[in-house]
Amino acid sequence: MNLIFLGAPGSGKGTQAARISEWLNIPTLSTGDMLRGHIRQGTELGRQAKEHIDAGRLVPDELVVSMLKERLALPDMQNGLILDGFPRTLQQAEELDTFLQIDHVIHLEVPDEAIVWRMAGRRVCPDCGATYHTSWTGFSENCQKCGAKLITRNDDKPETVLNRISVYHKQTAPLIDFYKKQGKLVTIECDAKGTPEHISALIKKALQ
Ligand code: AP5
Ligand code: MG
């Protein structure tokens, strides 16, 4: 099964992709994680992507599409996958249709106010990518999976977050209609009270 997780920044795509990928036993491909990996490794793509990411803008379509195509060609991606954060523009979605058959698009709908709060408290593990929130019971500054010291993402500064939300509404939200017309859209309403466990249960129910 090939799934897309679609939603605003901070809507929980990464959190839910990790849980559902374990449940379905398929890998997740996050274009955001891949681009941050390129930045860490100092590649030419990372150099080009960094200024866009730090400003809260999208990385140009041609760079992201070719990076994704290359990764999809590897053997571990042939038996189903979750795309987290791709596609993000109509052009990306149209191109994706030419090389991958998508079964369902899980749209995580979260109010903008909740997003700003979520991003302010997000901490991530620089080594294994696990995501936490400072408000969670038992929150610790070290990763519970691998022990590394957690960091705040560069693009989680409040002014960058507001820009990312506005970019989402302008460039990515049109995909909701695009996939509705294809009959693939499943919208999960994530109100402020829905815990990650509760949201995962809703996604699993929708997929069964
Ligand atoms: P990317 O890394 O994809 O960032 P994003 O879409 O902005 O989304 P986030 O990773 O910030 O949030 P998320 O939805 O994964 O939420 P999370 O689970 O962490 O992309 C970064 C940048 O790369 C982009 O801005 C762009 O520049 C570039 N890029 C990437 N893909 C691209 C593409 N296809 N084209 C062009 N450019 C591209 O959750 C957020 C927080 O909330 C966490 O702290 C989490 O613990 C908490 N949380 C999660 N669920 C809940 C819940 N139910 N209740 C309470 N808290 C929760
Ligand atoms: Mg993410």
Side-chain angles (χ1 to χ4, degrees):
M1 180 160 18
N2 293 325
L3 302 174
I4 290 172
F5 278 35
L6 175 69
S11 57
K13 299 182 297 296
T15 303
Q16 293 305 328
R19 302 173 73 99
I20 300 300
S21 119
E22 207 177 303
W23 179 63
L24 289 173
N25 197 22
I26 54 175
T28 293
L29 215 48
S30 153
T31 42
D33 286 348
M34 291 171 78
L35 290 166
R36 283 184 288 278
H38 276 276
I39 294 174
R40 271 199 306 278
Q41 289 154 24
T43 67
E44 175 54 24
L45 170 58
R47 195 191 59 71
Q48 292 181 52
K50 187 173 176 4
E51 58 166 317
H52 297 288
I53 295 181
D54 287 352
R57 294 189 304 265
L58 294 184
V59 174
D61 288 336
E62 58 279 13
L63 295 180
V64 184
V65 171
S66 63
M67 172 184 80
L68 182 84
K69 262 183 158 171
E70 237 172 70
R71 182 65 186 86
L72 281 181
L74 297 181
D76 58 333
M77 293 291 155
Q78 308 310 312
N79 296 311
L81 75 155
I82 296 177
L83 287 176
D84 159 8
F86 186 96
R88 257 176 151 99
T89 62
L90 278 173
Q91 190 184 328
Q92 290 180 15
E94 282 162 2
E95 289 212 38
L96 182 65
D97 274 348
T98 67
F99 59 83
L100 189 73
Q101 164 70 36
I102 296 297
D103 298 295
H104 306 287
V105 177
I106 309 293
H107 165 218
L108 300 174
E109 194 172 53
V110 180
D112 286 355
E113 314 77 76
I115 289 173
V116 175
W117 176 83
R118 282 187 184 188
M119 310 290 253
R122 172 164 59 185
R123 298 292 180 273
V124 293
C125 175
D127 291 349
C128 75
T131 300
Y132 303 89
H133 198 276
T134 51
S135 68
W136 289 357
T137 316
F139 172 79
S140 129
E141 290 295 338
N142 290 85
C143 179
Q144 286 165 29
K145 291 191 177 145
C146 73
K149 181 144 178 51
L150 302 180
I151 56 162
T152 302
R153 253 168 59 175
N154 240 352
D155 58 347
D156 277 351
K157 293 189 213 83
E159 63 277 18
T160 315
V161 168
L162 292 178
N163 195 31
R164 285 162 64 200
I165 294 175
S166 133
V167 164
Y168 170 76
H169 287 299
K170 280 195 205 120
Q171 293 183 264
T172 308
L175 296 182
I176 296 169
D177 245 17
F178 179 88
Y179 286 116
K180 203 183 274 173
K181 282 188 187 132
Q182 291 193 358
K184 294 178 179 167
L185 193 79
V186 178
T187 295
I188 306 286
E189 282 179 30
C190 314
D191 62 20
K193 283 178 271 159
T195 60
E197 294 74 18
H198 175 68
I199 309 295
S200 301
L202 293 178
I203 297 173
K204 288 177 186 176
K205 196 169 159 212
L207 289 174
Q208 268 163 351

